[in-house]
Amino acid sequence: MANHNLKLTIHFFSEEPIAAARKLDLMSANSAAAILQKVPISVVSKVMYAMLPSAAAKVLILTLEDFNRALFQSIELADIAAILRYVNNKDRKRLIELIPKSRQALCKLLISYPENTVGALIETNVLVIDSQMTVEEAMLRVKKQTYFDNHEVLIVNSKRKIVGKLSIFDLLRAPASTTISSLTSTGVITVNGLSDVSTVLAMDIWQKTDSISVVNRKKEFIGILRHYDLRASVTRNKKTN
């Protein structure tokens, strides 16, 4: 690809990722893979998110390991799982190995949820604090967290079951030796990871919040579901039907 054309392609991908994704969806996987590997990962990640997962999967099995490794560090785990669900078992195993080891088990968990369920859409990079921690210990965990969905943190017990949530501001004001369990009082509404996407989208809870906690069959916390991701999933599904 000539340098001038490459610059135009990168500009188009950067400014119109959805339109770019639609064009790539219609290309052969080989052509799409060749183009994407010449584009900066920061731009590719936006385009891959907008592509149909089934089309993105055909591309990923053709791209180089360094490209895939960098891509997996740039997009969310739920989006990786959505794509890998369309990859055959042999290639899926190979691609999962390119994900940081600390996230591989979670990726497999997300893949295990059918794509029409909310468990397939959850965000797992969520700050969670053990109820038996002291405020001092909890603050150390807060300082290590690089991403916050909102100003509240979820509190779980030793069995990973949600026992409440706590405002960061309340945490900052509490004495260092105070146990988290003595500060937790707010109830948390949850949905099961196997819940149907359309059913959860219709829930009244979205009038009060932008995200909701998701649990598995054992009531263990597995992640949060954002209203934005839920709506985006429903929109993508309508396009494929």
Side-chain angles (χ1 to χ4, degrees):
M1 185 182 293
N3 189 51
H4 177 67
N5 289 338
L6 178 58
K7 287 182 178 179
L8 288 176
T9 298
I10 293 173
H11 178 75
F12 172 57
F13 280 23
S14 179
E15 296 298 315
E16 300 288 345
I18 296 177
R22 294 291 79 80
K23 287 185 176 297
L24 291 171
D25 286 340
L26 298 174
M27 284 185 181
S28 71
N30 282 304
S31 296
I35 293 173
L36 285 169
Q37 289 181 101
K38 295 177 181 178
V39 178
I41 286 293
S42 59
V43 177
V44 170
S45 60
K46 296 177 182 178
V47 176
M48 292 289 279
Y49 171 78
M51 288 181 70
L52 296 174
S54 56
K58 293 175 182 177
V59 172
L60 277 190
I61 62 175
L62 298 173
T63 45
L64 298 175
E65 285 193 358
D66 286 345
F67 172 89
N68 291 334
R69 188 176 286 109
L71 177 65
F72 291 162
Q73 292 177 346
S74 302
I75 62 178
E76 294 187 3
L77 209 54
D79 298 323
I80 298 173
I83 295 171
L84 295 186
R85 194 174 287 112
Y86 288 90
V87 176
N88 65 65
N89 289 335
K90 182 180 178 180
D91 284 320
R92 182 190 298 167
K93 183 177 180 180
R94 172 178 63 83
L95 290 167
I96 287 177
E97 288 295 321
L98 302 179
I99 300 171
K101 290 190 180 299
S102 61
R103 306 179 75 200
Q104 289 179 14
L106 287 172
C107 185
K108 292 175 184 177
L109 170 67
L110 293 176
I111 293 172
S112 71
Y113 280 97
E115 62 180 327
N116 65 325
T117 63
V118 297
L121 303 174
I122 59 172
E123 166 59 47
T124 57
N125 183 23
V126 182
L127 177 61
V128 176
I129 294 176
D130 191 295
S131 60
Q132 297 307 306
M133 282 183 171
T134 64
V135 167
E136 183 178 17
E137 291 170 333
M139 286 306 301
L140 290 175
R141 181 168 292 186
V142 170
K143 290 176 181 178
K144 292 180 181 179
Q145 183 73 7
T146 57
Y147 168 82
F148 288 92
D149 191 63
N150 54 45
H151 65 83
E152 294 179 322
V153 293
L154 289 169
I155 313 301
V156 299
N157 61 21
S158 59
K159 296 182 179 180
R160 295 282 295 177
K161 294 184 178 180
I162 301 174
V163 295
K165 57 185 177 180
L166 181 65
S167 167
I168 288 287
F169 306 117
D170 289 338
L171 197 59
L172 289 169
R173 288 193 291 264
S177 60
T178 307
T179 59
I180 296 300
S181 59
S182 66
L183 299 174
T184 306
S185 60
T186 306
V188 178
I189 296 175
T190 64
V191 295
N192 189 290
L194 290 170
S195 300
D196 181 76
V197 166
S198 299
T199 300
V200 176
L201 182 61
M203 291 173 60
D204 292 337
I205 186 63
W206 299 116
Q207 297 175 17
K208 302 176 182 178
T209 185
D210 292 325
S211 63
I212 190 170
S213 299
V214 183
V215 297
N216 61 18
R217 288 174 175 172
K218 296 180 180 179
K219 304 295 183 183
E220 298 165 332
F221 173 73
I222 59 173
I224 63 167
L225 173 69
R226 299 194 197 95
H227 191 225
Y228 172 83
D229 293 330
L230 187 58
R231 287 187 286 108
S233 173
V234 171
T235 300
R236 283 198 298 269
N237 288 339
K238 286 180 178 178
K239 290 180 178 178
T240 59
N241 295 332

